[in-house]
Each structure stands twice: as structure tokens, then as C-alpha cells.
Amino acid sequence: MSVPITLRGARGTIGWVDLWRGILLCDVLDATPKVRDIPLPFPARANWRAYLNRCPYYSRDITVSESRDTIKYVEMELTRPAIEEEIISGPDDPEEECSYSLVPGRWQATTWTMPIPANSWNDWKYGCTISSDHVKLPDDGTKQSELLRRLVMSRNERKEEVAVAGLCLSLGCLRMAHPTLSIADGDDVIYLLSKGIRGAKMAAVVAVDVRARTLIGVSEIDSEKNINFLRCCLPTGIFKHLNTSAAT
């Protein structure tokens, strides 16, 4: 599976990215175009088992900035939240009851950049690393905070009652993956597909500023259009061209 990227420039450079292996670049305007290879940064240790065995979109993304001067790359290491089941029965009660509690997961995201024109693997520059534990969440009572709580509390089709009331709200309480990088120049924003646990239908896209370690947006998406936990958005710069002040 390859991702096409356009670097432009005087030599008309384009590329094809295998998110597990690397980038193939070609200067198509050269008299005799040649293909050259630039590997991606080494996989994070937590992803070694997944290497070549899982869809790379689940934990990786790459894009080119709007000004076409930088390649941006992100990799995530993910531990899903889990539900612990406890069977409760008393000595005088032959019927067993089950209770469920949420065990938060954790993720870590690392960003890299490469200046254009891209020449070699040594040109990759480490950006920053953030874990879900360190993301500053919106204050209680805000629209974003309430939407996050709805995501955590959303139930699956079996309607298991999961004990989450005593948990401190954190991104570790959500299933989060499929990072999508912003194409804006100079920022470190990633967009993450987010859902509750065990097949909960409600889903949202969460925007996180990796360098500032701050959650900057939460937007619910149509669950009927994203039944499975799959990548559902692509970066675009189209909105800066819209005239939002014009009457409709």
C-alpha cells in the first residue's frame, strides 16, 4: 500500500510512500528520471511485532506541508483500554453477577520532519514526543469535555455497564488510533480517530497539538459512515480559500 506525495520544485519531484518501509522519490522533469529511496525512521519498539503485519495507517502517517518545504511524519505506540470482568456471587446466592471496570490504555506519538529537497535518511529531524498521560484536557463543563465524557460512557451493543464514574477523565479511556497529520506549516497537530470501548458506536476525531501537549478540538463524526474503526479523514487546505463572511 503506497501513499503518493508531491514535492514539486524545479525538478518536479514526486514520491510514493510505503508507510512500513520508506519513500521512493523521482524527479520527473529530469531528462533521464531516476528513482531513489529514503527509508523512514526506525520503527518504535512497541511496533516491531506489527511491522509489515498490520495496516500502517493504524499507527503512522506522512504528509507534505502546504508550502512544500517539509515532509512531516508521525508514529504512534498504542496500548488499548480494556474491560475487566469480575464475577460476583455470595455463599447464599447461587446466581452469579458480573461487574465490569475500565482499565485505561495509553498511547505515545513521535513526530519527525525532513526538509525539501529530500536527500538521505540522515536528513530526518526528530520533532517531539507526547504520551496520552501528558495531554492537557479542556476544563470540565466545556463542550469538548462533555463530548469526551460521552465517548467514554458510550456503550456497546451488549450494553455492558462499565464502571467509569470513579475514573479521572483521560485520553487513555478511549480507543485512539489512525493519526492524520496537519498540513499547516510549522505546526505539530495530529488528528486521531477516537471511540469508546468494545464496539461502542459513537466516534469522534480528536485534535492534539503534540508540541504544546494540548487537546485543541473534538468533533463527533457520523457513526453510520464509520461503522468499523478505520481511517476516515484526510488533511486539506481548502478551508483557507472559503469566504466565511459572505452571506449564504
CSV table of all heavy atoms in Angstrom, one decimal, residues 66-103:
chain,number,residue,atom,x,y,z
A,66,GLU,N,2.0,22.6,3.5
A,66,GLU,CA,1.4,23.4,2.4
A,66,GLU,C,2.4,24.2,1.5
A,66,GLU,O,2.2,24.3,0.3
A,66,GLU,CB,0.4,24.4,3.0
A,66,GLU,CG,-0.9,23.8,3.4
A,66,GLU,CD,-1.9,24.8,3.8
A,66,GLU,OE1,-1.8,25.4,4.9
A,66,GLU,OE2,-2.9,25.1,3.0
A,67,SER,N,3.5,24.7,2.1
A,67,SER,CA,4.5,25.4,1.4
A,67,SER,C,5.4,24.5,0.6
A,67,SER,O,6.3,25.0,-0.1
A,67,SER,CB,5.3,26.3,2.3
A,67,SER,OG,5.9,25.6,3.3
A,68,ARG,N,5.3,23.2,0.8
A,68,ARG,CA,6.1,22.2,0.1
A,68,ARG,C,7.5,22.3,0.5
A,68,ARG,O,8.4,22.0,-0.4
A,68,ARG,CB,5.9,22.3,-1.4
A,68,ARG,CG,4.5,22.3,-1.9
A,68,ARG,CD,3.9,20.9,-1.8
A,68,ARG,NE,2.5,20.9,-2.1
A,68,ARG,CZ,1.7,19.8,-2.1
A,68,ARG,NH1,2.2,18.6,-1.8
A,68,ARG,NH2,0.4,19.9,-2.4
A,69,ASP,N,7.8,22.7,1.7
A,69,ASP,CA,9.2,22.8,2.1
A,69,ASP,C,9.6,21.7,3.2
A,69,ASP,O,10.8,21.6,3.6
A,69,ASP,CB,9.6,24.2,2.6
A,69,ASP,CG,8.8,24.5,3.9
A,69,ASP,OD1,7.9,23.7,4.3
A,69,ASP,OD2,9.1,25.6,4.5
A,70,THR,N,8.6,20.9,3.6
A,70,THR,CA,8.9,20.0,4.7
A,70,THR,C,8.0,18.7,4.5
A,70,THR,O,6.8,18.8,4.2
A,70,THR,CB,8.6,20.6,6.1
A,70,THR,OG1,9.3,21.8,6.2
A,70,THR,CG2,8.9,19.6,7.2
A,71,ILE,N,8.6,17.5,4.7
A,71,ILE,CA,7.9,16.3,4.9
A,71,ILE,C,7.7,16.1,6.4
A,71,ILE,O,8.6,16.2,7.2
A,71,ILE,CB,8.7,15.1,4.3
A,71,ILE,CG1,8.9,15.3,2.8
A,71,ILE,CG2,7.9,13.8,4.5
A,71,ILE,CD1,9.8,14.3,2.1
A,72,LYS,N,6.4,15.7,6.7
A,72,LYS,CA,6.1,15.5,8.1
A,72,LYS,C,5.7,14.1,8.3
A,72,LYS,O,4.9,13.5,7.5
A,72,LYS,CB,4.9,16.5,8.6
A,72,LYS,CG,5.2,17.9,8.3
A,72,LYS,CD,4.0,18.8,8.4
A,72,LYS,CE,3.5,19.0,9.8
A,72,LYS,NZ,2.4,20.0,9.9
A,73,TYR,N,6.1,13.5,9.4
A,73,TYR,CA,5.9,12.1,9.7
A,73,TYR,C,5.6,11.8,11.2
A,73,TYR,O,6.2,12.5,12.0
A,73,TYR,CB,7.1,11.3,9.3
A,73,TYR,CG,7.1,9.8,9.7
A,73,TYR,CD1,6.3,8.9,9.0
A,73,TYR,CD2,7.9,9.4,10.7
A,73,TYR,CE1,6.3,7.5,9.4
A,73,TYR,CE2,7.9,8.0,11.1
A,73,TYR,CZ,7.1,7.1,10.4
A,73,TYR,OH,7.1,5.8,10.8
A,74,VAL,N,4.7,10.9,11.5
A,74,VAL,CA,4.3,10.6,12.8
A,74,VAL,C,4.2,9.1,13.0
A,74,VAL,O,3.7,8.4,12.1
A,74,VAL,CB,3.0,11.3,13.3
A,74,VAL,CG1,1.8,10.8,12.5
A,74,VAL,CG2,2.8,11.2,14.8
A,75,GLU,N,4.6,8.6,14.2
A,75,GLU,CA,4.4,7.2,14.5
A,75,GLU,C,3.8,7.1,15.9
A,75,GLU,O,4.3,7.9,16.8
A,75,GLU,CB,5.7,6.4,14.4
A,75,GLU,CG,5.4,4.9,14.8
A,75,GLU,CD,6.7,4.1,14.7
A,75,GLU,OE1,7.8,4.6,14.9
A,75,GLU,OE2,6.5,2.9,14.4
A,76,MET,N,2.8,6.3,16.1
A,76,MET,CA,2.2,6.1,17.5
A,76,MET,C,2.5,4.7,18.0
A,76,MET,O,2.6,3.7,17.2
A,76,MET,CB,0.7,6.3,17.4
A,76,MET,CG,0.3,7.7,17.0
A,76,MET,SD,-1.5,7.9,17.1
A,76,MET,CE,-1.8,7.8,18.9
A,77,GLU,N,2.7,4.6,19.3
A,77,GLU,CA,2.7,3.3,20.0
A,77,GLU,C,1.5,3.3,20.9
A,77,GLU,O,1.2,4.2,21.6
A,77,GLU,CB,4.0,3.2,20.9
A,77,GLU,CG,5.3,3.4,20.1
A,77,GLU,CD,6.5,3.6,21.0
A,77,GLU,OE1,6.9,2.7,21.7
A,77,GLU,OE2,6.9,4.8,21.1
A,78,LEU,N,0.7,2.2,20.7
A,78,LEU,CA,-0.6,2.1,21.3
A,78,LEU,C,-0.9,0.9,22.2
A,78,LEU,O,-0.5,-0.2,21.9
A,78,LEU,CB,-1.7,2.1,20.1
A,78,LEU,CG,-1.6,3.3,19.2
A,78,LEU,CD1,-1.6,2.8,17.7
A,78,LEU,CD2,-2.8,4.2,19.4
A,79,THR,N,-1.5,1.2,23.4
A,79,THR,CA,-2.0,0.2,24.2
A,79,THR,C,-3.5,0.5,24.5
A,79,THR,O,-3.8,1.5,25.0
A,79,THR,CB,-1.3,0.2,25.6
A,79,THR,OG1,0.1,0.0,25.4
A,79,THR,CG2,-1.8,-0.9,26.5
A,80,ARG,N,-4.3,-0.4,24.0
A,80,ARG,CA,-5.8,-0.2,24.1
A,80,ARG,C,-6.3,-0.2,25.5
A,80,ARG,O,-5.7,-0.9,26.4
A,80,ARG,CB,-6.5,-1.2,23.3
A,80,ARG,CG,-6.3,-1.2,21.8
A,80,ARG,CD,-7.2,-2.3,21.2
A,80,ARG,NE,-6.9,-2.5,19.8
A,80,ARG,CZ,-7.6,-3.3,19.0
A,80,ARG,NH1,-8.6,-4.0,19.6
A,80,ARG,NH2,-7.3,-3.4,17.7
A,81,PRO,N,-7.3,0.6,25.8
A,81,PRO,CA,-8.0,0.4,27.1
A,81,PRO,C,-8.7,-1.0,27.1
A,81,PRO,O,-9.0,-1.5,26.0
A,81,PRO,CB,-9.0,1.5,27.1
A,81,PRO,CG,-9.2,1.9,25.7
A,81,PRO,CD,-7.9,1.6,25.0
A,82,ALA,N,-8.9,-1.5,28.3
A,82,ALA,CA,-9.5,-2.8,28.4
A,82,ALA,C,-10.6,-2.8,29.4
A,82,ALA,O,-10.7,-2.0,30.3
A,82,ALA,CB,-8.5,-3.9,28.7
A,83,ILE,N,-11.5,-3.8,29.3
A,83,ILE,CA,-12.5,-4.0,30.3
A,83,ILE,C,-12.2,-5.3,31.1
A,83,ILE,O,-12.0,-6.3,30.6
A,83,ILE,CB,-13.9,-4.2,29.6
A,83,ILE,CG1,-14.3,-2.9,28.9
A,83,ILE,CG2,-15.0,-4.5,30.6
A,83,ILE,CD1,-15.6,-3.0,28.1
A,84,GLU,N,-12.2,-5.1,32.4
A,84,GLU,CA,-12.0,-6.2,33.3
A,84,GLU,C,-13.4,-6.7,33.8
A,84,GLU,O,-14.2,-5.9,34.2
A,84,GLU,CB,-11.1,-5.8,34.5
A,84,GLU,CG,-9.7,-5.7,34.2
A,84,GLU,CD,-8.8,-5.6,35.4
A,84,GLU,OE1,-9.3,-5.3,36.5
A,84,GLU,OE2,-7.5,-5.7,35.3
A,85,GLU,N,-13.6,-8.0,33.7
A,85,GLU,CA,-14.8,-8.6,34.2
A,85,GLU,C,-14.6,-9.3,35.5
A,85,GLU,O,-13.7,-10.1,35.7
A,85,GLU,CB,-15.3,-9.6,33.1
A,85,GLU,CG,-16.6,-10.3,33.5
A,85,GLU,CD,-17.1,-11.3,32.4
A,85,GLU,OE1,-16.7,-11.1,31.2
A,85,GLU,OE2,-17.8,-12.2,32.7
A,86,GLU,N,-15.5,-9.1,36.5
A,86,GLU,CA,-15.5,-9.7,37.8
A,86,GLU,C,-16.8,-10.4,38.0
A,86,GLU,O,-17.8,-9.8,37.9
A,86,GLU,CB,-15.1,-8.7,38.9
A,86,GLU,CG,-15.0,-9.3,40.2
A,86,GLU,CD,-14.7,-8.3,41.3
A,86,GLU,OE1,-14.6,-7.1,41.0
A,86,GLU,OE2,-14.6,-8.7,42.5
A,87,ILE,N,-16.7,-11.7,38.4
A,87,ILE,CA,-17.9,-12.4,38.7
A,87,ILE,C,-18.2,-12.3,40.2
A,87,ILE,O,-17.3,-12.6,41.0
A,87,ILE,CB,-17.8,-13.9,38.3
A,87,ILE,CG1,-17.6,-13.9,36.8
A,87,ILE,CG2,-19.0,-14.7,38.7
A,87,ILE,CD1,-17.4,-15.3,36.2
A,88,ILE,N,-19.3,-11.9,40.6
A,88,ILE,CA,-19.7,-11.7,42.0
A,88,ILE,C,-20.8,-12.7,42.4
A,88,ILE,O,-21.8,-12.8,41.7
A,88,ILE,CB,-20.2,-10.2,42.2
A,88,ILE,CG1,-19.1,-9.2,41.8
A,88,ILE,CG2,-20.5,-10.0,43.7
A,88,ILE,CD1,-19.6,-7.8,41.8
A,89,SER,N,-20.5,-13.4,43.4
A,89,SER,CA,-21.6,-14.3,44.0
A,89,SER,C,-21.3,-14.5,45.4
A,89,SER,O,-20.2,-14.6,45.9
A,89,SER,CB,-21.5,-15.7,43.2
A,89,SER,OG,-20.3,-16.3,43.4
A,90,GLY,N,-22.4,-14.6,46.2
A,90,GLY,CA,-22.3,-14.8,47.6
A,90,GLY,C,-22.5,-16.2,48.0
A,90,GLY,O,-22.9,-17.0,47.2
A,91,PRO,N,-22.1,-16.6,49.2
A,91,PRO,CA,-22.3,-18.0,49.7
A,91,PRO,C,-23.7,-18.5,49.7
A,91,PRO,O,-24.0,-19.7,49.5
A,91,PRO,CB,-21.7,-18.0,51.1
A,91,PRO,CG,-21.7,-16.6,51.5
A,91,PRO,CD,-21.6,-15.8,50.3
A,92,ASP,N,-24.7,-17.5,49.9
A,92,ASP,CA,-26.1,-17.9,49.9
A,92,ASP,C,-26.8,-17.5,48.6
A,92,ASP,O,-28.0,-17.6,48.5
A,92,ASP,CB,-26.8,-17.2,51.1
A,92,ASP,CG,-26.1,-17.6,52.4
A,92,ASP,OD1,-25.7,-18.8,52.5
A,92,ASP,OD2,-26.0,-16.7,53.3
A,93,ASP,N,-26.0,-17.1,47.6
A,93,ASP,CA,-26.6,-16.7,46.3
A,93,ASP,C,-26.0,-17.5,45.2
A,93,ASP,O,-24.9,-17.3,44.8
A,93,ASP,CB,-26.3,-15.2,46.1
A,93,ASP,CG,-27.0,-14.6,44.9
A,93,ASP,OD1,-27.8,-15.4,44.2
A,93,ASP,OD2,-26.8,-13.5,44.5
A,94,PRO,N,-26.8,-18.5,44.7
A,94,PRO,CA,-26.3,-19.4,43.7
A,94,PRO,C,-26.1,-18.6,42.3
A,94,PRO,O,-25.4,-19.1,41.4
A,94,PRO,CB,-27.3,-20.5,43.6
A,94,PRO,CG,-28.6,-19.8,44.1
A,94,PRO,CD,-28.2,-18.8,45.1
A,95,GLU,N,-26.8,-17.5,42.1
A,95,GLU,CA,-26.8,-16.8,40.8
A,95,GLU,C,-25.6,-15.9,40.8
A,95,GLU,O,-25.3,-15.1,41.8
A,95,GLU,CB,-28.0,-16.0,40.6
A,95,GLU,CG,-29.3,-16.9,40.4
A,95,GLU,CD,-30.5,-16.1,40.0
A,95,GLU,OE1,-30.3,-14.9,39.7
A,95,GLU,OE2,-31.6,-16.7,39.9
A,96,GLU,N,-24.8,-16.0,39.8
A,96,GLU,CA,-23.6,-15.1,39.6
A,96,GLU,C,-24.0,-13.8,38.9
A,96,GLU,O,-24.8,-13.8,38.0
A,96,GLU,CB,-22.5,-15.9,38.8
A,96,GLU,CG,-22.0,-17.1,39.5
A,96,GLU,CD,-20.9,-17.8,38.7
A,96,GLU,OE1,-20.9,-17.5,37.5
A,96,GLU,OE2,-20.2,-18.6,39.3
A,97,GLU,N,-23.3,-12.8,39.3
A,97,GLU,CA,-23.5,-11.5,38.7
A,97,GLU,C,-22.1,-11.0,38.2
A,97,GLU,O,-21.1,-11.3,38.8
A,97,GLU,CB,-24.1,-10.4,39.6
A,97,GLU,CG,-25.5,-10.8,40.0
A,97,GLU,CD,-26.1,-9.7,40.9
A,97,GLU,OE1,-25.4,-8.7,41.1
A,97,GLU,OE2,-27.3,-9.8,41.3
A,98,CYS,N,-22.1,-10.3,37.1
A,98,CYS,CA,-20.9,-9.8,36.6
A,98,CYS,C,-20.8,-8.2,36.7
A,98,CYS,O,-21.8,-7.6,36.5
A,98,CYS,CB,-20.7,-10.1,35.1
A,98,CYS,SG,-20.6,-11.9,34.8
A,99,SER,N,-19.6,-7.8,37.1
A,99,SER,CA,-19.4,-6.3,37.0
A,99,SER,C,-18.2,-6.1,36.1
A,99,SER,O,-17.3,-6.9,36.0
A,99,SER,CB,-19.1,-5.8,38.4
A,99,SER,OG,-17.9,-6.3,38.9
A,100,TYR,N,-18.2,-4.9,35.5
A,100,TYR,CA,-17.2,-4.5,34.5
A,100,TYR,C,-16.5,-3.2,34.9
A,100,TYR,O,-17.2,-2.3,35.4
A,100,TYR,CB,-17.8,-4.4,33.1
A,100,TYR,CG,-18.5,-5.6,32.7
A,100,TYR,CD1,-19.9,-5.8,32.9
A,100,TYR,CD2,-17.8,-6.6,32.0
A,100,TYR,CE1,-20.6,-6.9,32.5
A,100,TYR,CE2,-18.5,-7.8,31.6
A,100,TYR,CZ,-19.9,-7.9,31.8
A,100,TYR,OH,-20.5,-9.0,31.4
A,101,SER,N,-15.2,-3.2,34.8
A,101,SER,CA,-14.5,-1.9,35.1
A,101,SER,C,-13.5,-1.6,34.0
A,101,SER,O,-13.0,-2.5,33.3
A,101,SER,CB,-13.7,-2.0,36.4
A,101,SER,OG,-12.8,-3.1,36.4
A,102,LEU,N,-13.3,-0.4,33.8
A,102,LEU,CA,-12.4,0.1,32.7
A,102,LEU,C,-11.0,0.3,33.1
A,102,LEU,O,-10.7,0.9,34.1
A,102,LEU,CB,-12.9,1.4,32.1
A,102,LEU,CG,-12.1,2.1,31.0
A,102,LEU,CD1,-12.0,1.2,29.8
A,102,LEU,CD2,-12.7,3.5,30.7
A,103,VAL,N,-10.1,-0.4,32.4
A,103,VAL,CA,-8.6,-0.2,32.7
A,103,VAL,C,-8.1,0.7,31.6
A,103,VAL,O,-8.0,0.3,30.4
A,103,VAL,CB,-7.9,-1.5,32.7
A,103,VAL,CG1,-6.4,-1.3,32.9
A,103,VAL,CG2,-8.5,-2.5,33.7
